[in-house]
Amino acid sequence: MGKLVTLTLLGVGLALIGERLLAFRQRFGASQEVEPVEPGKCHIVEGIENGSEDIDILPSGLAFISSGLKYPGMPSFEPDEPGKIFLMDLNEQNPRAQALKISDGFDKASFNPHGISTFIDKDHTVYLYVVNHPHMMSTVEIFKFEEQQHSLVHLKTIKHELLQSVNDIVVLGPEQFYATRDHYFTNLFLSLLEMVLDLQWSYVLFYSPQEVKVVAKGFSSANGITVSLDNQYVFVADVAAKNIHVMKRDDNWNLTQQKVLQLDALVDNLTVDPATGDVLAGCHPNAMKLLIYNPKDPPGSKVFRIQDILSKKPRVSTLYANNGSVLQGSTVATIYNKKLLIGTIFHRALYCEL
Ligand SMILES: [Ca+2]
Ligand SMILES: [Ca+2]
């Protein structure tokens, strides 16, 4: 009898894991093909070889690009190369990417930049907030941007017990930001198990020097985060659930969910077109190909444009798609003045004139 119970329990357990694994395979797009879409004249940006995970563009057209992310479980082609922040002036005829100098006193050797967000203070000072993973921990670094010197001056490192496995941030005031935590567990094995079992323990938190709190939870894996042009709505990408959550902000920085927009690819970083308010989503058509990297069958890229996201019927269109022959692992897309810049997790970036 005891053996029968053990066998039954084992069978049920294996069936459950099998079912979860199948669902996991499906969620991660193990069988997706990509039809190519190219929006205009495009070319690879020279000089950025080790990824361009996140991009944020100032109203003046200066684009900051985070490069060289080492992320647990993901391949890294230059594991010993420290991360960098590149700058591109999208007003130029043929914009080039140049690495910004970083001030002394900051540990550049362990710099591992991930999501970024710019913030312009009342006195017009430009700050760049960077999610950093030195030695695979999570911190938020605040830099002051000095345009003339082409440099970033490090001002502060923010650490907090809730700021773990941070993916992206969006800054809304001096040292006031929302951040996504993409996994509950920081241990690689447990975080993989968390993904397979789809525990939905990932969350969004609000940080200020006075208060740190979880403001939205229940995500499979909260990834990119940004705000609407009027700062009233927050958009959160749940990469593993392939959707975007539209949340309304209140005066206490709490978030209330308004709707969830389902897409058919894994949504990474989000940006907003400053001219139209459209949301741009850098997506992975097939995450299995990202995790198990094979140069003969590389991961592809997909960018969605979502128009009227706050309306009853948002319109979703594919702005860019490629099977990996040109661009692998797109994570972010930004638009400035009919110029499109697409970043990728561990490869190059693409520049298109729309
Ligand atoms: Ca970002
Ligand atoms: Ca991301």
Side-chain angles (χ1 to χ4, degrees):
M1 188 64 194
K3 278 191 180 124
L4 192 65
V5 171
T6 310
L7 203 65
T8 309
L9 285 177
L10 192 71
V12 169
L14 283 175
L16 189 74
I17 289 172
E19 183 264 325
R20 288 283 166 136
L21 267 175
L22 262 179
F24 175 75
R25 234 181 104 79
Q26 222 159 37
R27 276 205 314 278
F28 277 59
S31 59
Q32 279 240 15
E33 293 304 323
V34 182
E35 289 295 323
V37 175
E38 200 150 306
K41 244 175 56 196
C42 300
H43 68 260
I44 292 292
V45 179
E46 297 292 322
I48 313 176
E49 297 300 326
N50 295 324
S52 37
E53 210 275 342
D54 202 10
I55 304 173
D56 203 2
I57 304 181
L58 292 174
S60 64
L62 291 178
F64 293 93
I65 304 165
S66 73
S67 178
L69 172 67
K70 268 81 69 186
Y71 187 86
M74 226 39 111
S76 174
F77 301 104
E78 294 284 352
D80 301 323
E81 190 71 26
K84 291 189 175 107
I85 302 291
F86 284 86
L87 189 74
M88 255 176 109
D89 185 350
L90 298 182
N91 300 295
E92 287 173 9
Q93 199 70 30
N94 291 304
R96 289 172 314 131
Q98 274 189 303
L100 288 171
K101 288 184 293 239
I102 295 179
S103 63
D104 291 336
F106 174 71
D107 181 8
K108 285 171 255 191
S110 68
F111 190 35
N112 188 4
H114 199 172
I116 58 175
S117 177
T118 54
F119 174 67
I120 305 172
D121 213 342
K122 285 195 191 90
D123 64 2
H124 309 294
T125 308
V126 174
Y127 297 92
L128 183 71
Y129 285 60
V130 181
V131 175
N132 186 16
H133 302 296
H135 313 291
M136 292 303 160
M137 320 249 271
S138 282
T139 60
V140 173
E141 312 291 348
I142 307 178
F143 296 97
K144 188 167 91 170
F145 174 51
E146 301 210 318
E147 192 175 345
Q148 298 303 320
Q149 287 82 3
H150 213 76
S151 69
L152 294 170
V153 177
H154 185 252
L155 301 179
K156 191 170 182 173
T157 298
I158 295 175
K159 289 182 198 170
H160 190 275
E161 56 179 4
L162 290 178
L163 280 170
Q164 309 279 346
S165 295
V166 183
N167 194 297
D168 196 14
I169 47 169
V170 60
V171 185
L172 290 175
E175 289 188 44
Q176 292 171 312
F177 56 83
Y178 291 108
T180 54
R181 177 172 183 163
D182 58 16
H183 290 90
Y184 177 79
F185 291 110
T186 48
N187 170 289
L188 180 60
F189 173 74
L190 290 176
S191 68
L192 272 174
L193 198 66
E194 177 184 348
M195 289 296 266
V196 171
L197 297 177
D198 194 20
L199 297 177
Q200 302 183 357
W201 290 352
S202 151
Y203 57 70
V204 176
L205 68 87
F206 168 71
Y207 178 95
S208 74
Q210 296 77 32
E211 188 184 26
V212 186
K213 60 182 178 182
V214 175
V215 287
K217 53 187 179 182
F219 299 91
S220 293
S221 185
N223 196 305
I225 186 164
T226 194
V227 283
S228 58
L229 292 180
D230 64 3
N231 281 356
Q232 296 306 304
Y233 294 88
V234 174
F235 308 123
V236 182
D238 189 333
V239 63
K242 300 182 176 174
N243 60 33
I244 298 172
H245 291 240
V246 177
M247 334 270 299
K248 178 108 177 68
R249 274 184 57 204
D250 72 16
D251 296 341
N252 297 319
W253 300 91
N254 295 315
L255 299 177
T256 313
Q257 187 171 294
Q258 305 288 301
K259 68 166 99 173
V260 178
L261 190 72
Q262 195 62 43
L263 299 172
D264 69 352
L266 293 101
V267 197
D268 204 312
N269 298 330
L270 303 173
T271 66
V272 171
D273 180 343
T276 60
D278 295 350
V279 174
L280 302 181
C283 298
H284 307 288
N286 185 325
M288 286 313 249
K289 288 191 187 178
L290 269 186
L291 297 168
I292 311 157
Y293 183 81
N294 174 3
K296 290 195 184 106
D297 183 21
S301 292
K302 208 163 197 180
V303 172
F304 289 115
R305 180 211 291 269
I306 301 123
Q307 293 168 286
D308 303 318
I309 194 164
L310 299 175
S311 75
K312 277 212 176 87
K313 280 203 174 146
R315 283 171 295 148
V316 180
S317 55
T318 304
L319 189 58
Y320 179 84
N322 182 266
N323 64 3
S325 59
V326 176
L327 202 68
Q328 304 176 3
S330 55
T331 43
V332 63
T334 49
I335 287 186
Y336 172 79
N337 206 5
K338 297 207 163 34
K339 288 153 181 175
L340 172 70
L341 193 56
I342 305 176
T344 67
I345 187 159
F346 43 55
H347 271 123
R348 305 172 297 177
L350 192 78
Y351 170 82
C352 304
E353 290 191 3
L354 300 177

